């Protein structure tokens, strides 16, 4: 299986256009949060309509997994904490969003939402525990913020660790965790685009300028991760 991984598109439409072509060459696309952009002059509800259209077109080409990030939240859920309600409403057979766990071949993908408080945090913990039951040969998480204990949460000046994610990784031991959120980490001193926590690989492709977004191609047959960082690239064996 070839999985195209990227995050933090932030409503950059040329990157979505590129993704439409790239999606035809892979078995799955994983977008790990911040599909929209809260500082864009385009109203958030308009962004949601446009991004939903792109996601639908992508799902016509391949399996699509899309997790929310902090820029995607658009209002309180039933519990009063912020959620990406527009993303959760989308319905396509090959589109899997916040709260989903889906098996594709021998790989289980678990798509975690951005959590805004203790109730949504608890929901994520329950989601991961449920998805751990009868797990197949490979388990991949989508979770926007990178975990504590890795260079992926360092932007060159400060570190933004997610200890909850690190604790869940220690508890469940997924094979791969896909993250984003810290845009500069792959290029920053003390940062990086890949790391290990125990036996778990963690990846953050980063966010960069240019017509082609920073991205990672995971190949589960070749057991490689190939990072494209716009001005540089790197391949690691898994």
């Amino acid at each position: 299986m070839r999985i195209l991984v990227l995050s933090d598109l932030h409503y950059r439409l040329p990157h979505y256009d590129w993704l439409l072509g790239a999606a035809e060459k892979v078995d799955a696309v994983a977008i790990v949060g911040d599909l929209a952009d809260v500082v864009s002059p385009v109203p958030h509800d308009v962004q949601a309509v446009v991004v939903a259209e792109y996601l639908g077109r992508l799902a016509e080409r391949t399996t699509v997994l899309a997790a929310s990030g902090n820029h995607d939240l658009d209002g309180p859920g039933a519990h009063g904490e912020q959620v990406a309600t527009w993303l959760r409403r989308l319905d396509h057979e090959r589109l899997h969003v916040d709260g989903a766990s889906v098996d594709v071949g021998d790989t289980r993908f678990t798509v975690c939402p951005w959590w805004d408080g203790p109730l949504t945090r608890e929901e994520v913990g329950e989601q991961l525990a449920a998805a751990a039951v009868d797990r197949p040969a490979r388990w991949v998480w989508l979770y926007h913020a990178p975990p504590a204990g890795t260079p992926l949460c360092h932007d060159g000046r400060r570190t933004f660790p997610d200890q909850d994610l690190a604790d869940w990784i220690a508890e469940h031991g997924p094979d791969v965790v896909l993250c984003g959120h810290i845009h500069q980490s792959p290029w920053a001193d003390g940062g990086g685009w890949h790391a290990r926590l125990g036996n778990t690989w963690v990846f953050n492709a980063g966010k960069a300028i240019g017509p082609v977004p920073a991205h990672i191609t995971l190949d589960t047959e070749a057991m490689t991760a190939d990072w494209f960082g716009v001005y540089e690239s790197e391949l690691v064996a898994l």
Side-chain angles (χ1 to χ4, degrees), residues 65-228:
L65 308 122
S68 61
N70 49 304
H71 279 252
D72 300 315
L73 307 180
D74 63 350
H79 37 49
E81 296 177 359
Q82 292 286 313
V83 295
T85 55
W86 66 273
L87 186 60
R88 298 183 181 207
R89 286 196 298 263
L90 302 185
D91 184 21
H92 190 288
E93 183 180 5
R94 292 203 293 178
L95 173 61
H96 309 283
V97 299
D98 285 357
S101 277
V102 58
D103 292 349
V104 181
D106 64 352
T107 301
R108 175 165 298 170
F109 293 94
T110 298
V111 186
C112 301
W114 179 271
W115 54 270
D116 184 52
L119 297 178
T120 40
R121 178 201 176 281
E122 184 177 350
E123 287 180 351
V124 172
E126 292 171 351
Q127 175 190 8
L128 295 172
V133 177
D134 297 326
R135 57 192 280 189
R138 187 177 297 106
W139 192 13
V140 177
W141 299 359
L142 282 72
Y143 187 107
H144 184 54
T150 70
L152 280 61
C153 52
H154 185 65
D155 71 357
R157 295 176 300 169
R158 295 179 295 168
T159 298
F160 302 86
D162 190 313
Q163 186 60 52
D164 293 287
L165 176 56
D167 292 343
W168 283 321
I169 290 172
E171 179 180 0
H172 297 295
D175 298 284
V176 175
V177 177
L178 309 175
C179 302
H181 193 47
I182 308 303
H183 301 174
Q184 308 92 335
S185 185
W187 303 275
D189 290 338
W193 68 273
H194 65 88
R196 295 288 294 273
L197 274 181
N199 293 322
T200 301
W201 280 98
V202 187
F203 297 100
N204 172 12
K207 177 182 183 294
I209 61 173
V212 178
H215 61 272
I216 298 166
T217 304
L218 295 180
D219 190 321
T220 63
E221 182 176 353
M223 293 297 291
T224 57
D226 189 2
W227 174 64
F228 173 84

Side-chain angles (χ1 to χ4, degrees), residues 12-19 208-215 228 230-231:
R12 187 175 175 85
L13 299 187
H15 285 177
Y16 281 101
D17 290 332
W18 174 86
L19 189 53
I209 61 173
V212 178
H215 61 272
F228 173 84
V230 182
Y231 299 114

